[in-house]
Amino acid sequence: MNGKKGAANNIKMKNHIKVGGKLLQTTKSYNQLKQKQKDKIAQWMYEETRKFHEQTGEFPTAKTDDAVIAAVYDHIEAADIWIPYGEIASRYQGKRAKICERIQKEDTLRKHPPDTVIFMNMCMVCRGNEVLALDKVNNTYTGTTFPGGHVETRETFHDAVVREILEETGLRIKNPVLKGIYHWYRDGFHNVGYLYRADQFEGELKSSEEGRVYWIPREEYEQKELAVGMHRVLMIMDSDEFSECFMDVKEDGSIEEHMF
């Protein structure tokens, strides 16, 4: 009796399955949803991503986004929306980077009022003809770059670059030399990056959550998929002709670059 009832409630047809008295399309795509349903799902994706970030201090990646996708799908089921789980997983994986970028911008706005200056640093650590590369894994800034980070409150630029390199590589650099400045204006923020070079260091190389670090011949480094702006950074690092690069990102998305 129970077996027959279960069979009646779970009747498979071509591209459909009957569950709980409803005939559900197993091949239904995300684009077939109503716009209001899409809007709700987009909001749940944002909310669950922010919750993940606040709870872990990190942004979800391809290796950690299962928890976010499962939480979003719980909302979908509670709202009695039918869409295959794989469709939601695929949709989120395609939108994850933009959602994380939105959250990062919102957090930056909370910490820094518009039209303020944010100080950062980057250091090219050299060992003979090799440089120390960092493959960045941040959702909003990817590619091969040099280690570095933000200057903290009441911290000198020198101390900031020494601290950041230690945190991201395990190496404590000595006597870093300031080579120039790379700065850009975008979304109301003037970001100023101080560029250093260091040939002296101590410690054992180790990667961090920022990405993998490794030694690579300089000529091979330039063949990597470099992060945005790194070609200009290398121009400053390599010569005394240039000591400053300014990138102005306009509201329409166009970019103006000036080298000095």
Side-chain angles (χ1 to χ4, degrees), residues 185-187 248-256:
Y185 188 88
R186 183 174 187 175
D187 298 330
D248 190 4
V249 184
K250 305 295 185 180
E251 291 184 1
D252 62 1
S254 61
I255 298 174
E256 289 184 5

Side-chain angles (χ1 to χ4, degrees), residues 10-181:
N10 193 7
I11 301 175
K12 292 184 178 180
M13 301 174 62
K14 185 178 181 181
N15 297 332
H16 288 77
I17 185 170
K18 191 172 185 180
V19 179
K22 294 182 179 181
L23 191 63
L24 306 177
Q25 182 184 350
T26 57
T27 57
K28 186 175 183 179
S29 71
Y30 183 87
N31 289 332
Q32 290 177 286
L33 292 172
K34 297 178 181 178
Q35 188 57 50
K36 287 185 177 180
Q37 294 174 324
K38 293 179 181 178
D39 291 342
K40 287 182 179 179
I41 293 172
Q43 183 61 26
W44 291 328
M45 287 181 176
Y46 164 80
E47 291 173 353
E48 291 301 331
T49 303
R50 172 163 283 287
K51 186 182 297 183
F52 180 94
H53 178 58
E54 291 174 349
Q55 291 176 346
T56 66
E58 300 177 355
F59 286 107
T61 66
K63 294 181 179 180
T64 61
D65 62 11
D66 287 346
V68 176
I69 297 171
V72 171
Y73 203 73
D74 286 342
H75 288 294
I76 292 172
E77 290 187 317
D80 201 25
I81 299 172
W82 165 246
I83 186 74
Y85 186 90
E87 282 290 299
I88 296 303
S90 178
R91 179 72 178 182
Y92 180 74
Q93 289 160 359
K95 292 292 184 180
R96 185 198 319 112
K98 287 189 175 181
I99 296 172
C100 293
E101 183 177 3
R102 172 187 170 185
I103 293 172
Q104 190 172 54
K105 285 183 177 180
E106 290 172 348
D107 291 347
T108 300
L109 281 171
R110 291 192 185 97
K111 295 178 181 178
H112 307 281
D115 293 318
T116 59
V117 178
I118 302 174
F119 292 108
M120 288 166 280
N121 56 62
M122 179 180 288
C123 185
M124 183 173 74
V125 185
C126 303
R127 186 181 69 175
N129 70 334
E130 296 180 314
V131 294
L132 188 56
L134 166 65
D135 287 344
K136 197 76 170 177
V137 294
N138 188 298
N139 277 299
T140 59
Y141 185 63
T142 60
T144 301
T145 181
F146 293 134
H150 287 78
V151 179
E152 296 183 351
T153 304
R154 298 184 180 230
E155 188 176 38
T156 67
F157 298 134
H158 172 277
D159 290 349
V161 71
V162 171
R163 174 185 54 76
E164 284 288 351
I165 302 310
L166 179 63
E167 291 176 356
E168 295 188 359
T169 72
L171 303 180
R172 182 177 293 278
I173 58 174
K174 300 179 180 180
N175 303 318
V177 177
L178 180 62
K179 295 290 294 181
I181 298 172

